[in-house]
C-alpha cells in the first residue's frame, strides 16, 4: 500500500507478471482489514501512511497473529527507521530508487523465507559485537520474540509454545525464523545459549 495512487498503480503493474496482486490500498485501516481477511503472503508498505505509521501497522499485524510478511518500499533512506521497522517484524526494507529487478528479487527472497534490505542500508544494519565477549546482537527482539525465545530455551516444543502464548503454531515458527535470521542463531542450542546469556530463560510450568 502507498498514499499515492500513481505509485500504487505502477507497483501493481510491475508486480503482476510475477505475483498475484490481491489489492491496492491508500490508507492503513483498509490495508489492515484486507490483510486480516485475505491472508496474503506479502504486504508492501510505506513508512508514513495516512492514519497510521507503517511500523505500527506491522506491530498490530504481529499482535493479531498474522503471518503476513511485511516489506517496506519507501523513500526513507534512514537506517534508524529501517532498524525500527525490521525489529517490529518487517521482512524487508526497499528504497524507492531501487531498480525493478532489485524489488522483484527482494520479494522472491522474502517469499522464500529470507530478509531483504536495499544494499545502501544493508551494511549499516549488519550485526554488531557488544562490549561483552561472546554476546551478539543484531536488531532488538520484540517482546513477542523474547517470549518465544524464552520458551524455546526452556525446551518447549512449537505446539506447546503456541498453546502457552495463545497464538498459532505458524506464528511461533515465524518468530523462530525471525530470531534465527536477526541474531544469526542457526540451531535450538544456539538460541538456548543466547537466551541464557541474556537472562531470558522461562521456567516451564510443572503439573
Amino acid at each position: 500500500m502507498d498514499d499515492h495512487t500513481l505509485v500504487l498503480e505502477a507497483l501493481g503493474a510491475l508486480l503482476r507478471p510475477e505475483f498475484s496482486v490481491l489489492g491496492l490500498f491508500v490508507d492503513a485501516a483498509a490495508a489492515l482489514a484486507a490483510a486480516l481477511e485475505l491472508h496474503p503472503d506479502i504486504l508492501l508498505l510505506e513508512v508514513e501512511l495516512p492514519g497510521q505509521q507503517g511500523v505500527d501497522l506491522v506491530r498490530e499485524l504481529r499482535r493479531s497473529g498474522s503471518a503476513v510478511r511485511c516489506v517496506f518500499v519507501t523513500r526513507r533512506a534512514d537506517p534508524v527507521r529501517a532498524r525500527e521497522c525490521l525489529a517490529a517484524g518487517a521482512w524487508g526494507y526497499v528504497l524507492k530508487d531501487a531498480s525493478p529487478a532489485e524489488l522483484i528479487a527482494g520479494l522472491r527472497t522474502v517469499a522464500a523465507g529470507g530478509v531483504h534490505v536495499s544494499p545502501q542500508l544493508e551494511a549499516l544494519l549488519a550485526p554488531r559485537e557488544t562490549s561483552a565477549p561472546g554476546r551478539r546482537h543484531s536488531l532488538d527482539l520484540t517482546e513477542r520474540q523474547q517470549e518465544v525465545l524464552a520458551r524455546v530455551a526452556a525446551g518447549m516444543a512449537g505446539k506447546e509454545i503456541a498453546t502457552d502464548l495463545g497464538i498459532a503454531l505458524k506464528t511461533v515458527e515465524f518468530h523462530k525464523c525471525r530470531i534465527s535470521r536477526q541474531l544469526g542463531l542457526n540451531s535450538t542450542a544456539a538460541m538456548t545459549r543466547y537466551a541464557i546469556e541474556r537472562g531470558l530463560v522461562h521456567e516451564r510450568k510443572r503439573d
Side-chain angles (χ1 to χ4, degrees), residues 34-137:
L36 295 177
E37 179 183 355
L38 301 175
H39 306 291
D41 295 319
I42 298 174
L43 174 64
L44 303 187
L45 300 168
E46 240 296 2
V47 170
E48 307 287 345
L49 299 172
Q52 190 174 31
Q53 292 288 312
V55 68
D56 292 328
L57 178 58
V58 173
R59 292 181 180 124
E60 194 165 346
L61 285 166
R62 295 286 80 82
R63 286 194 296 270
S64 74
S66 171
V68 61
R69 298 174 181 183
C70 296
V71 175
F72 284 88
V73 181
T74 178
R75 65 180 63 86
R76 293 288 298 273
D78 180 352
V80 174
R81 182 56 62 89
R83 184 179 295 277
E84 180 186 18
C85 292
L86 293 166
W91 286 67
Y93 197 95
V94 182
L95 300 180
K96 282 185 174 177
D97 61 2
S99 68
E102 183 201 328
L103 177 60
I104 295 296
L107 294 180
R108 286 174 178 161
T109 296
V110 170
V115 174
H116 178 79
V117 177
S118 283
Q120 300 96 307
L121 292 171
E122 190 173 18
L124 300 176
L125 298 174
R128 300 171 297 178
E129 294 295 323
T130 66
S131 57
R135 290 201 172 188
R136 297 170 299 164
H137 71 89

Side-chain angles (χ1 to χ4, degrees), residues 32 135 151 160 163 166:
L32 176 63
R135 290 201 172 188
R151 286 158 176 77
E160 291 180 285
T163 299

